[in-house]
Amino acid sequence: MAVMDATTEELVSRARQGDADACELLVRRHLRAAYAVALAVVGSTADAEDVAQEAFLVAFERLDSCREPARFSGWLLQIVRRRAYNALDHRRVRTTHAGALMTENAERSRVDALRQQTPAVGRKERLLEALGHLSPIEREVLLLHDLEGRTHGEIAAALAISEVGSRQHLFKGRHVLRRLLTGESDTEVGHG
Amino acid sequence: MDDEKIDLSPLDLAQDPARFERLVARITGDAVARRQRPPLFAALVALMRPALAMAALSVAVIWGGAWFVPARRPSSAAADPTQTLLAWAASGRVPEPGEILSTFGGSHDPGR
């Protein structure tokens, strides 16, 4: 059977034996989801790439401990989340509590600037800024659903939450994000 | 209203195909290298194997050498241990431990 047609379970089995093609296909299939989860936690695209890469390497090293190869995605995303939160902790220590220095006024002006859609700020940066106002779980659900196209069932399994919880986080996340991005009509696409 | 997806495509990693491909190649290359790298314990065992073989060879050489070198006997020892043993039996005298050892090729250090 061609590697391209292989199921995740088969790919994991081949990757365990050091099959480079299987490893590559696993990376191709799951990199965007890993990146989305990492981005939801760390909030920076560069850091999210690093976290996703590290998580994949850890996953491949521990591939033999993946008990249910068919659920590789959920297993991988758990590793991504742990790595992302570790990275966040390290960054917090490095920045010596820079976040705590941010006053309430400064925060309000940031939101105002966001709403005014300062032309100098790109669309990607505006989205990242707005996502920063959501809770981590709302960001994870929103990115996995609206960016990665995962179903609530898949998200629930990956994030160890209920499907109802996933729907609630998505609803609230979208609501907050739309409010922050009011006036930016091109952010809304009716994919349903 | 909030049933509609929000367009997050600017955040999509695949928006920049070249970057995506570079990342895939980098992860795959490192991952395959790690999968093909033997585990730490196996690597240690592999390194230890020649060292153990050398140690075993050294022991064999030393023991073999000792086996073929004739044992030195003290000059005071009798030429035939059987004769000495018979002499002790005839005299009824109980030999000293040092005498027994020197007769049968051992050594005795009374200071110990």
Side-chain angles (χ1 to χ4, degrees), chain A residues 15-16 24 28 32 35 49 53 56-57 60-61 64 123 131 146-147 174-175 178 187 189, chain B residues 1-8 10-12 19 21 26-28 30-32 34-37:
Chain A
R16 279 176 173 164
E24 183 182 334
R28 282 190 185 283
R32 289 172 72 240
Y35 172 81
E49 275 186 32
Q53 180 177 355
F56 263 108
L57 296 182
F60 278 116
E61 255 186 353
D64 296 332
R123 201 166 152 225
L131 282 168
D146 285 5
L147 178 62
R174 278 178 176 169
H175 178 74
R178 278 191 219 283
T187 61
V189 177
Chain B
M1 177 74 175
D2 286 329
D3 286 340
E4 290 180 356
K5 275 189 177 178
I6 294 178
D7 180 14
L8 299 173
L11 302 177
D12 191 349
R19 191 167 141 217
E21 290 302 322
R26 201 162 67 219
I27 295 172
T28 306
D30 288 352
V32 170
R34 287 196 189 195
R35 285 301 304 169
Q36 290 173 346
R37 191 176 66 190

Side-chain angles (χ1 to χ4, degrees), chain B residues 18-100:
Chain B
R19 191 167 141 217
F20 183 81
E21 290 302 322
R22 274 199 306 274
L23 194 55
V24 168
R26 201 162 67 219
I27 295 172
T28 306
D30 288 352
V32 170
R34 287 196 189 195
R35 285 301 304 169
Q36 290 173 346
R37 191 176 66 190
L40 183 63
F41 181 73
L44 281 174
V45 168
L47 284 173
M48 290 285 287
R49 205 168 285 148
L52 285 170
M54 284 297 292
L57 188 65
S58 303
V59 168
V61 165
I62 291 166
W63 278 357
W67 185 261
F68 287 110
V69 171
R72 285 180 300 164
R73 291 179 187 281
S75 56
S76 61
D80 186 356
T82 312
Q83 292 294 325
T84 310
L85 202 61
L86 287 172
W88 287 338
S91 68
R93 184 176 69 86
V94 176
E96 295 295 323
E99 286 180 288
I100 298 171

